[in-house]
Amino acid sequence: VLFKSDILKNAEFEKITAVLLKSRTGEFDLESILFLKFRGLGIHDLGCIGECTSLERLDLSGNNITNLAPLASLRILVVLNVSANRISNLEPLSSCDSLQSLNVAGNVISSIETLQCLQSLRKLESIRLKDNTYNYTNPVCRNSLYRTILLEMFANIKVLDGERVVGRGSDLYQLCKDIDDTIKAGTYKNGQLSEHLDYKPWVEDNYWEIKRSNNAIVEEAYKQFNDVLHECRLLNSRATHMISQTERSMSLKKQPKQYTV
C-alpha cells in the first residue's frame, strides 16, 4: 500500500525542482550550490538544475536521464558523472568549458561521432565510457579501435576508462594490464605450466578500510580509490583461481601412472 506522502516523495524525485535542490543541499540560493549528488533517485527530468550556475561537481549516476540540455549553462562544472542512465546525445556538454572529468559509462552512446561535440572542451582530461568494476559500457565500446580513435580525437586526455594513458602512473596501469592478460591466458614455460609458490596476502584483510567523510571532494576520491581496490580484489581472485588450477594440474602430473594387469 502506497501512502500519499510516499507517492509525492517519489514524484518529486522524477524531476529536479528548486524545492528538491534546496532541501537536499540546505542552500537558499541555487547559485550558491557547489556540489550535488543525486545518485540512484529515479530522476529522468533535470528540471531547473541549469540554474545552479556555480556547480563544480555533479553526480547524477544511476537514474533514467536521457536529455542533458539543462546542463548547457553549467560553465564552471569540473566533474560530471552521468553513468548508468539512458543518454545517447552529449551535445549540451559542449558548452561546459571547464569540464575536466566526464563519466558516461553505462549509457547508449552508439558512435564515435557522438563524442565529436566534446572536442572543443580543452580542459577535458578524463573520459570514461566503460567501467569494468560495475560492468558498465556503451555500444560504441564494441568498436575495437574506439580507444585509439578517442586518443587521437582528444589530445589532452590523460585518463581513458579509468586507465591513465599519459603522464605519471601510465606505466603502472600498463603493467597491471599486462599482468591481468598473463593471468587470463595462463602462465606457460616451454609449453608447460610453470610452478607457483604459495602466495600469501601482503596485509591484513581490514588494512585498507577507510572512514567515510561528509566532504564531497574527499568522498569522490574515496569512491575512486574504492573502485581501484575493487578491481585489485577481482584481479587477486582471478590470480588465486589460476594458481589453484596450476597447482592441481601439476599435482596430477606428478602422480605415478597405474596400470591394470
Side-chain angles (χ1 to χ4, degrees), residues 59-78:
D59 185 350
L60 294 168
S61 59
N63 287 289
N64 298 309
I65 300 167
T66 58
N67 183 12
L68 297 178
L71 302 184
S73 60
L74 305 182
R75 297 300 181 91
I76 64 173
L77 186 66
V78 176

Side-chain angles (χ1 to χ4, degrees), residues 90-239:
L90 301 176
E91 188 67 37
L93 301 183
S94 61
S95 301
C96 301
D97 302 325
S98 302
L99 194 62
Q100 296 179 19
S101 176
L102 174 63
N103 186 346
V104 290
N107 281 281
V108 286
I109 298 171
S110 59
S111 67
I112 296 293
E113 288 72 21
T114 306
L115 301 166
Q116 289 179 345
C117 61
L118 304 177
Q119 287 183 285
S120 61
L121 303 179
R122 300 304 179 187
K123 296 182 180 180
L124 189 60
E125 296 182 345
S126 174
I127 300 178
R128 186 186 278 273
L129 289 163
K130 182 169 62 174
D131 190 335
N132 293 328
T133 303
Y134 299 102
N135 199 28
Y136 293 161
T137 186
N138 279 278
V140 68
C141 299
R142 298 171 189 165
N143 184 338
S144 59
L145 298 177
Y146 94 93
R147 284 177 59 88
T148 302
I149 297 174
L150 253 61
L151 292 175
E152 292 178 354
M153 286 175 58
F154 300 97
N156 297 325
I157 286 297
K158 295 181 180 179
V159 181
L160 178 59
D161 293 339
E163 298 182 5
R164 183 168 287 276
V165 292
V166 258
R168 188 175 182 182
S170 58
D171 292 341
L172 175 59
Y173 273 98
Q174 185 59 46
L175 176 61
C176 291
K177 185 177 184 301
D178 292 342
I179 292 175
D180 193 24
D181 292 340
T182 301
I183 291 173
K184 289 179 181 178
T187 306
Y188 290 86
K189 185 177 182 180
N190 297 326
Q192 299 293 328
L193 284 167
S194 58
E195 186 173 356
H196 293 273
L197 300 175
D198 183 18
Y199 294 103
K200 296 181 179 180
W202 291 351
V203 296
E204 299 297 330
D205 291 339
N206 61 348
Y207 182 84
W208 296 107
E209 294 297 327
I210 53 180
K211 298 180 180 179
R212 304 295 295 172
S213 171
N214 293 326
N215 186 288
I217 298 178
V218 176
E219 185 175 349
E220 179 66 21
Y222 281 161
K223 178 183 178 299
Q224 294 180 12
F225 183 63
N226 278 320
D227 289 348
V228 174
L229 285 181
H230 183 68
E231 292 179 5
C232 290
R233 292 188 180 110
L234 291 177
L235 180 60
N236 178 68
S237 178
R238 291 197 295 267

